Amino acid sequence: MSIITLIPLFPLIGFLINGLGFRKIPTSLAGPIGVGASLLSFIGTVIAYTQLTETNQPILINVFDWITVGSLQINFSFQIDQLSIIMLFVITGVGTLIHMYSMGYMHDDEGYGKFMAFLNLFLFSMLLLVMGSNYIVMFIGWEGVGLCSYLLIGFWNKNTEYGNAARKAFIMNRIGDLGFLIGIFLIILNFGSVEYTEVFEKAKGLTVGDSTIIAITGFLFIGAMGKSAQIPLYTWLPDAMAGPTPVSALIHAATMVTSGIYMIIRSNILYTLAPETLEFVAWIGVATAVFAATIGIFQNDIKKVLAYSTVSQLGYMFMGLGVSAYTSGFFHVITHAFFKALLFLAAGSVIHAMSGEQDIRRMGGLWSKIKITAITFLIGTIAISGVFPLAGFFSKDEILAHVYEHNKLMWVLALIGSMMTAFYMFRLFFLTFTGSFRGTHEQEHHLHESPASMTIPLMVLAVFSFVGGFIGMPEVFHAPHLLADFLNPIYEGSKAVNPEFGAHPVEHSTEWMLMGISLGAALIAIFIAYTRFGGSKNVPVEDSEITGVQKVIYNKYYIDEVYWAIFVNPVKSLSNFFVNVFEPKGFDAIVRGVGNMVNSFSNLTRRLQAGGTGFYLFAMVIGITIILGINLGYQVLETIKAFVGIK
Amino acid sequence: MLALILILIPLIGSLLLFLLRGSNAGVSKNIALLTSLIEFAVAAYAFITFDSQTLIEIKYAWMKDLKINFHLGIDGISLLMIALTGFLVPLIVLSTFKYSYKKTESFYSLILLAQAALMGVFMAKDIFLFYFFYEVALIPVYFLAAIWGGVNAPRITFKMFVYTMFGSLFMLVAVVYLYIKASTANIQELYTAAKFLSPTSQNLLFWAFFIAFAIKMPVLPFHTWQPDTYSESPTAATMLLSGLLSKMGVYGLIRILLPLAPIGLSNYGMIAMVLSIIGLIYGSVIAIQQNNIKRLIAYSSFAHMGLMAAGVLSGTLSGIQGALLQMVAHGINAVGLFFIVKIMYDRTNTRDLNSLGGITQNTPALSIYFMIIMLGSVALPLTNGFVGEFLLLKGVFDKNAWLGGIAGLTIILGAVYMLRMMQRSMFGERNAVTSEFSDVKGTEIAVLLPIAAVVLLMGIFPNVFLKITEPAVNSLLQLIHP
């Protein structure tokens, strides 16, 4: 068996051990099993990387033939190339850190072993998603991560509200999945295969703007909207914060939600053939980035702020993809995985220290109390705000530069969004860590720094949030863009169909200017945040006192309520209408008419049932059988034969 | 010979139980289980040793003058259904082990009789024989439902009886007409003969057969007997109905309707397909608001059957292969789900989602089985529901993209009602009704474990099944699209 097959197998085994052995395996063992499985996958990834770099050719492995129908052959098979290997590093690397963190965070939870099992199952699904060599294996992972997301959001299943959030996530994802599925059907219809290599090879023969391709890419993008929480399918992600914080970090920030971006980059040749779809993707990205950022400004739950920030950052990634800067979008996936995982884990550490409190109005002054958490959180905050030289600066700036080249209005909006990002993140930081403590006396008494199993992952992620951006230096720095060079082979198809693809037209002077503007904008936003919230000067008011526009935004523009009114309630009413009116008065009335005709017969059978002994019953069965089988068949035939005159 | 044995084993078991009336209830349970296990072993043997090249066939003269024969044969399609029947009946028998029934021997005798008839339906090569078994299969289930059902059972099952008799009438007319026209009852010969029928008679044949099979599955608007019957019948009868008898309808569409009325299909197939898909959406929407779990699953079954019908009517290889796989998957999942409802009812005396909740806190094992089977019915990849549903939707989509898209709503709606059922019964806080809920054990695990295992195995290795049926489906398709 190839080492590559083992990469997803380890977490699957981990899941089976911890899942089946839940409550039998002691917690001291369940944790190491979960972390170990993830770590082994990481090691497998390293080995796979060395194999890949030997030839730089995609490695294809067919595990078994999965579905065969006529000429359609769907294999359960893997493809390791430059794109999937980076995803593997992110998933298993960040994944291992988060597994480790969970050992501390979930230690006292009664469902500890189950939690570890689910995390491993998630890892398995996520690995399938990125390792699959065809769209169906991607779809297995795609739905699998949706299931794990559901299981983990509703992990504390006694709480009905959490359960509702979990269902909402699953169902909204399913809406996207239907789009994905239709996209797959169209791919099969037009290319006769689902294997990437075959589909992309055949796609090279098509011309840019082909309507079939626009349909395919459009439907695939619906899938991406669901999984990656873009307008209009984003509302599940903030609710998903009901899950334990390591879940928010791993699934709802670093890995699963970036699946949509992975999917588009994987299909880059198809999207390059469909500029109309790309334009749509870009605008959805911009709209989501800005819209979610405005909501983030007014949230008071530490995890909710981060959740909206994730939605917003995902918008930036799609913006990058939409302007054909696939690598820039992907670059942001990587850096975002570092600093957002860091921010969530640090937030978890804060919540842990605060005895479960998540409202930043009840925090303040934590800087000196939980130093490691505070410093790492600050690094994450600076990184996401796009301040040089931390990771977020490089990736976001690269997206903005491409957006500037594409459409100036889009760039202005993106810049405003990025200012808001810096503002609300520092607002969050100042309210949480500066000023004086605003929680209860009891909470203050319990304040403590988290155990090493939690702080070590924070420190590792902080380092990556700091230096992660160096893999993609801007051209003006005269340093190599390692990421772009590495990813080059996966755009071979895009280059074949669009000779201009990948040309970098930004002039150096423009690039300097853009960098200056975005850095300046970020610093201004931070300064404003400091003047308003530094030292926790203005603590946001209680919910009941929020009024006006702010109230509308605080309540997320009432989008959930709107969806409820437009979709959920009508379906429920329809359901009731069917049950109460259609079923009894429509279909059944007709039948009852027929029923009345044979009412006399009915009385007869009823009498039989009342007094029937076993034998009587059996005699009847045999009787009817004989009548039906022989008499009816024979006599009816004879009659009809006589009637039509056949001998 | 194998074909005959498959009918004889349950028939002998049934007769034996009938003769043993009045003996120890425990003995009759064991006889029933043993019989069904032997039958399972034979079915499994047939499944493993099957080779699509050699057709297993037997033929005895039945009504010699009329050239009607007792003619059985097994091809890939038959074999799949035999395997399903062989697998499910022991589980159905086992699911009743914890409970006592009045007239125990008759109860089990009827279950086995139904199995014998089902085996007959799936192997019949003579159209009269098919019709004969098709009718006989219903009778024992009718009695099971009427005698051992709830208070309203006699009235409700009578409705079912009238309904299906009504459908059978259509089929009988069609069968007799075909027989007279072609002077043969051999289904294979009828396939050839049917080609020479006029379009008008094909159209009539299409509708006659469609109504007959649509009632059995059921397909909208012939479904109103189904939710009531499913919820009022004893669980064993509901399992037989939803797991196996409803499959006779789909089987009939594939084996009888499509090849015998290909012109009718091309004229009216689309209308029937639209009906099926309306039923799919209609059933799913109703399931969303059901609070009685048994009814909820009944409507979900109705929805699933609609998709299977649509897939078959698409006349595509994907659609039919998907329908075959989904028949097996749905049969297994429905039995599993109805059994879980039974378990809940047994412990809490209610099937109302408003009264349940928090069960998972007491039942780690049940939770896992329930979750796996539920995921199978919402068609999660790597469970048995996915491959079938994927191929069905693909088949419908290939025929008509719009219909495919609408039918695809099932993956959303299915998740809505299934997750709601899970949430309201298993999750949330415990209450007075569920606080003492005990986990599954003994025979309950013996039923749920094989089901859960097959849900996963079928999802991971669907080709085992697809490869068995594909040659047979292809030869049928050649008749439809010459």
Side-chain angles (χ1 to χ4, degrees), chain A residues 100-168:
Chain A
M100 198 174 144
Y101 177 94
S102 305
M103 282 174 65
Y105 191 84
M106 297 296 287
H107 195 265
D108 300 323
D109 196 283
E110 55 175 355
Y112 179 76
K114 188 169 74 173
F115 185 79
M116 282 294 168
F118 287 171
L119 277 192
N120 273 183
L121 182 65
F122 168 76
L123 221 53
F124 167 71
S125 309
M126 191 69 209
L127 291 169
L128 286 189
L129 195 160
V130 298
M131 287 176 70
S133 78
N134 60 53
Y135 282 101
I136 306 288
V137 177
M138 192 201 281
F139 192 77
I140 300 176
W142 194 268
E143 288 246 299
V145 292
L147 166 70
C148 297
S149 169
Y150 162 76
L151 292 172
L152 285 161
I153 294 169
F155 183 73
W156 289 307
N157 59 47
K158 278 184 212 174
N159 187 320
T160 303
E161 214 173 289
Y162 295 176
N164 292 342
R167 283 193 292 150
K168 183 174 174 184

Side-chain angles (χ1 to χ4, degrees), chain A residues 64 66 68 70 143 157-158 163 174 189 575 578 583 587-588 591 602 609 615 617-618 624 629 637 640 646, chain B residues 18 132 142 147 158-159 163 180 221 223-224 282 285 289 299 361 378 381 398 411 423 428 459-460 463 470:
Chain A
F64 58 91
W66 190 36
T68 313
E143 288 246 299
N157 59 47
K158 278 184 212 174
R174 269 269 161 128
L189 210 57
S575 182
F578 284 165
E583 286 281 280
F587 299 123
D588 219 22
V591 184
S602 147
Q609 286 153 20
F615 177 75
L617 205 161
F618 211 78
I624 292 180
L637 268 171
I640 295 175
I646 302 173
Chain B
F18 173 69
F132 169 74
Y142 166 69
I147 298 175
F158 183 68
K159 183 160 107 183
Y163 234 125
I180 291 166
H223 67 279
T224 55
Y282 180 80
V285 168
Q289 286 286 79
Y299 276 109
Q361 291 160 44
V378 300
D398 288 351
I411 73 163
Q423 176 71 38
I460 300 169
N463 261 355
E470 185 160 314

Side-chain angles (χ1 to χ4, degrees), chain A residues 256-389:
Chain A
M256 181 186 91
V257 289
T258 61
S259 306
I261 292 114
Y262 166 79
M263 178 222 261
I264 290 182
I265 300 175
R266 175 55 80 198
S267 322
N268 67 76
I269 175 171
L270 303 181
Y271 281 86
T272 304
L273 284 166
E276 287 85 352
T277 315
L278 277 182
E279 190 68 19
F280 181 67
V281 171
W283 280 108
I284 289 282
V286 177
T288 310
V290 176
F291 184 77
T294 62
I295 302 177
I297 290 176
F298 295 103
Q299 298 304 308
N300 293 323
D301 179 313
I302 186 168
K303 286 181 75 180
K304 282 276 159 72
V305 178
L306 294 178
Y308 281 103
S309 132
T310 303
V311 175
S312 172
Q313 295 300 311
L314 290 167
Y316 280 97
M317 296 171 203
F318 281 105
M319 217 187 290
L321 303 181
V323 299
S324 301
Y326 302 122
T327 300
S328 313
F330 194 58
F331 188 11
H332 205 53
V333 168
I334 300 167
T335 58
H336 179 258
F338 295 139
F339 59 68
K340 192 50 70 65
L342 168 63
L343 285 165
F344 266 116
L345 294 187
S349 181
V350 169
I351 296 166
H352 198 66
M354 291 288 300
S355 318
E357 181 62 72
Q358 295 188 193
D359 193 328
I360 50 175
R361 288 171 294 196
R362 318 266 178 278
M363 296 181 183
L366 297 180
W367 178 266
S368 54
K369 310 266 180 17
I370 43 173
K371 220 34 178 287
I372 303 174
T373 304
I375 294 171
T376 51
F377 194 97
L378 179 62
I379 292 172
T381 308
I382 300 174
I384 195 177
S385 302
V387 175
F388 181 83

Side-chain angles (χ1 to χ4, degrees), chain A residues 536-557:
Chain A
S536 290
K537 274 191 289 273
N538 293 302
V539 178
V541 296
E542 292 303 312
D543 289 357
S544 56
E545 294 163 41
I546 302 172
T547 51
V549 181
Q550 195 180 334
K551 187 175 175 188
V552 175
I553 302 177
Y554 183 66
N555 287 305
K556 308 141 200 168
Y557 299 96

